[in-house]
């Protein structure tokens, strides 16, 4: 039986593409995997002979060179491994679908979830509790004058892996971070800080192109360790219910897969409500009464390999679905703890 060919973009540097590559290599001798990146050094992390250098997704040549690689390798499945590539591939999906199968969500879901203000509007319209949120372009915005601290300050669009994210405990700190982001051309999102640091979860909800949920994995995050922590500081506000330490997680997840039916039910409801047709990663915190989502990523995630190790290999399950293999029941998920570390790679480039 011939192996099916899978092309994964953006592999390297701890990227989403690298995590998907690791996930598929767990299924021994099943796929021929091609990896791409704009850097030859980044590709050294991938143990495969099939490597291609592509321009950045912002380049005018990107789509043509990607399509050429798809044709040359007769690619069966294409998986974007970075958000810029996800967006470019989604925008050109009809042209690409003539040559291969895309393992991505719908254009509508991607459009909503890559814009945090659109995400929160959609959730609020369906009566889902979200952090109180303000999107501003300047500090003259009247709506931010009565904010209760602490708050999160971050870009309204992008910011994957908590990039450009800050924690403000008073007005002066908030204004400083807002000015900084506006200076560099961002629309700014100010967001209520939710819950205690030890009540943060990341949830993978995988849906088929027919919007059937194939499975859900809930991981309770450990966000104070070095790799998983973006920010942590002593709580100096009057919000003692938030604990002595305030913390913001990084894009590197680790923690324990847990059984939380109420969180699973709510995140599956969110996936159905927005019409998810593929991978979806939802992050949020339990505030004592509700699970409050603060970010939804319409793609595979950094926790994809962990889910596979626990018995839920998302990209394989989605490819099986396209191959006509249907699950009779959801896979059993092992309740286990995952810890991450650093790995060194030697490159001859």
């Amino acid at each position: 039986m011939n192996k099916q060919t899978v092309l994964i973009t953006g592999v390297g540097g701890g990227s989403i593409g690298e995590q998907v590559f690791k996930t598929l290599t767990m299924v021994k001798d099943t796929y021929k995997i091609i990896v791409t990146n704009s850097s030859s050094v980044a590709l050294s992390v991938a143990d495969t002979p099939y490597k291609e250098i592509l321009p950045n997704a912002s380049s005018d040549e990107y789509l043509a060179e990607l399509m050429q690689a798809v044709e040359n390798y007769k690619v069966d499945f294409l998986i974007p491994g970075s958000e810029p590539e996800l967006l470019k591939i989604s925008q050109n999906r009809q042209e690409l679908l003539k040559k291969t199968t895309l393992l991505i969500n719908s254009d509508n879901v991607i459009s909503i979830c890559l814009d945090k203000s659109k995400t929160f509007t959609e959730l609020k319209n369906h009566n889902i509790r979200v952090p109180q949120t303000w999107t501003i372009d300047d500090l003259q915005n009247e709506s931010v004058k009565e904010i209760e601290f602490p708050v999160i300050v971050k870009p309204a669009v992008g910011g994957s892996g908590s990039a450009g994210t800050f924690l403000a405990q008073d007005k002066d700190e908030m204004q400083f971070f807002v000015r900084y982001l506006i200076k560099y051309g961002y629309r700014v999102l100010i967001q209520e800080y939710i819950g205690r640091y030890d009540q943060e979860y990341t949830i993978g909800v995988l849906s088929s192109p027919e919007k059937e949920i194939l499975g859900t994995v809930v991981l309770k995050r450990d966000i104070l360790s070095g790799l998983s922590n973006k920010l942590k500081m002593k709580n100096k506000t009057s919000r003692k219910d938030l604990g002595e330490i305030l913390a913001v997680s990084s894009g590197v997840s680790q923690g324990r897969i847990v059984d939380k039916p109420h969180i699973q039910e709510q995140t599956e409801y969110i996936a159905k409500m927005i019409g998810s047709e593929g991978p979806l990663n939802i992050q949020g915190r339990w505030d004592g009464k509700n699970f409050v989502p603060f970010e939804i990523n319409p793609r595979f995630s950094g926790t994809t390999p962990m889910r596979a190790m626990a018995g839920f290999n998302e990209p394989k399950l989605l490819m099986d679905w396209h191959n006509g293999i249907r699950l009779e029941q959801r896979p059993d998920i092992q309740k286990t703890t995952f810890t991450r570390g650093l790995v060194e790679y030697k490159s001859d480039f």
Side-chain angles (χ1 to χ4, degrees):
M1 179 178 177
N2 292 330
K3 296 179 182 179
Q4 289 193 300
T5 302
V6 184
L7 190 151
I8 308 170
T9 72
V11 173
S15 66
I16 298 303
E18 183 180 340
Q19 307 315 307
V20 174
F21 174 77
K22 289 194 296 186
T23 302
L24 288 183
T25 56
M26 295 178 196
V27 189
K28 300 292 184 182
D29 300 320
T30 303
Y31 306 105
K32 175 181 175 181
I33 304 176
I34 298 92
V35 296
T36 76
N37 199 301
S38 59
S39 164
S40 59
V41 175
L43 288 174
S44 64
V45 305
D47 184 15
T48 175
Y50 308 108
K51 302 178 181 182
E52 294 290 331
I53 306 298
L54 293 183
N56 289 322
S58 58
S59 168
D60 292 338
E61 288 78 39
Y62 175 81
L63 183 62
E65 294 199 25
L66 173 63
M67 293 188 71
Q68 189 63 56
V70 168
E71 281 191 16
N72 291 346
Y73 287 101
K74 297 181 172 56
V75 171
D76 296 297
F77 296 102
L78 172 60
I79 305 175
S82 70
E83 286 193 356
E85 289 173 301
L86 171 64
L87 188 58
K88 178 63 72 74
I89 288 169
S90 180
Q91 291 170 341
N92 295 277
R93 69 174 62 215
Q94 295 308 318
E95 192 171 356
L96 283 161
L97 282 171
K98 296 174 184 177
K99 301 179 181 296
T100 190
T101 298
L102 307 178
L103 294 193
I104 63 174
N105 223 307
S106 70
D107 188 60
N108 183 58
V109 169
I110 291 170
S111 174
I112 291 171
C113 295
L114 290 186
D115 186 321
K116 295 177 181 63
S117 58
K118 285 184 181 179
T119 301
F120 293 138
T121 297
E122 189 76 12
L123 293 175
K124 285 192 290 186
N125 287 342
H126 288 83
N127 299 314
I128 294 172
R129 158 95 159 102
V130 296
Q132 192 173 7
T133 303
W134 302 264
T135 304
I136 63 173
D137 297 300
D138 60 69
L139 284 169
Q140 305 307 313
N141 191 308
E142 293 292 322
S143 65
V144 301
K145 291 188 175 180
E146 301 300 326
I147 287 177
E148 182 179 11
F149 293 94
V151 295
I152 302 296
V153 183
K154 59 184 178 182
V157 177
S160 175
S162 299
T165 298
F166 303 97
L167 175 58
Q169 298 200 59
D170 58 41
K171 184 177 179 180
D172 288 342
E173 289 181 359
M174 180 190 73
Q175 290 179 334
F176 176 84
F177 296 136
V178 169
R179 287 193 186 98
Y180 176 83
L181 290 173
I182 288 176
K183 176 182 177 180
Y184 289 98
Y186 291 103
R187 284 172 58 235
V188 180
L189 186 135
I190 299 174
Q191 187 180 89
E192 172 191 5
Y193 182 97
I194 294 290
R196 297 170 62 96
Y197 72 83
D198 57 358
Q199 291 297 316
E200 183 163 319
Y201 298 84
T202 183
I203 302 95
V205 184
L206 183 67
S207 302
S208 76
E210 292 181 352
K211 303 180 183 179
E212 170 197 8
I213 292 179
L214 303 178
T216 302
V217 180
V218 180
L219 183 134
K220 185 177 183 182
R221 299 185 69 182
D222 171 10
I223 71 166
L224 288 192
S225 59
L227 285 176
S228 296
N229 183 256
K230 169 74 174 179
L231 297 165
K232 60 182 174 183
M233 59 191 67
K234 185 176 180 180
N235 182 3
K236 295 183 178 180
T237 73
S238 61
R239 294 286 310 278
K240 302 308 177 187
D241 58 302
L242 298 176
E244 294 184 1
I245 299 294
L246 304 177
V248 176
S249 56
S250 72
V252 181
S253 296
Q254 52 189 332
R256 181 168 181 80
I257 291 177
V258 294
D259 186 20
K260 293 285 183 179
H262 48 291
I263 294 179
Q264 178 177 329
E265 290 170 8
Q266 182 170 342
T267 50
E268 289 185 2
Y269 171 74
I270 290 172
K272 291 177 180 178
M273 177 267 294
I274 65 175
S276 182
E277 300 176 11
L280 198 71
N281 194 70
I282 301 173
Q283 298 178 55
R285 287 188 182 179
W286 181 255
D287 71 353
K289 295 180 180 179
N290 302 286
F291 174 71
V292 185
F294 55 72
E295 187 155 329
I296 303 179
N297 294 308
R299 51 167 172 74
F300 296 112
S301 80
T303 46
T304 297
M306 299 180 196
R307 295 168 192 159
M309 293 169 71
F312 191 70
N313 192 311
E314 295 168 285
K316 180 185 183 300
L317 286 168
L318 204 50
M319 286 188 282
D320 284 349
W321 188 94
H322 282 284
N323 288 326
I325 302 171
R326 300 293 189 265
L327 292 173
E328 294 183 3
Q329 61 184 27
R330 295 191 186 186
D332 290 329
I333 310 299
Q334 298 174 25
K335 306 303 185 290
T336 187
T337 299
F338 293 97
T339 304
R340 278 184 157 153
L342 296 175
V343 178
E344 288 71 38
Y345 295 95
K346 179 178 179 293
S347 173
D348 295 325
F349 294 107

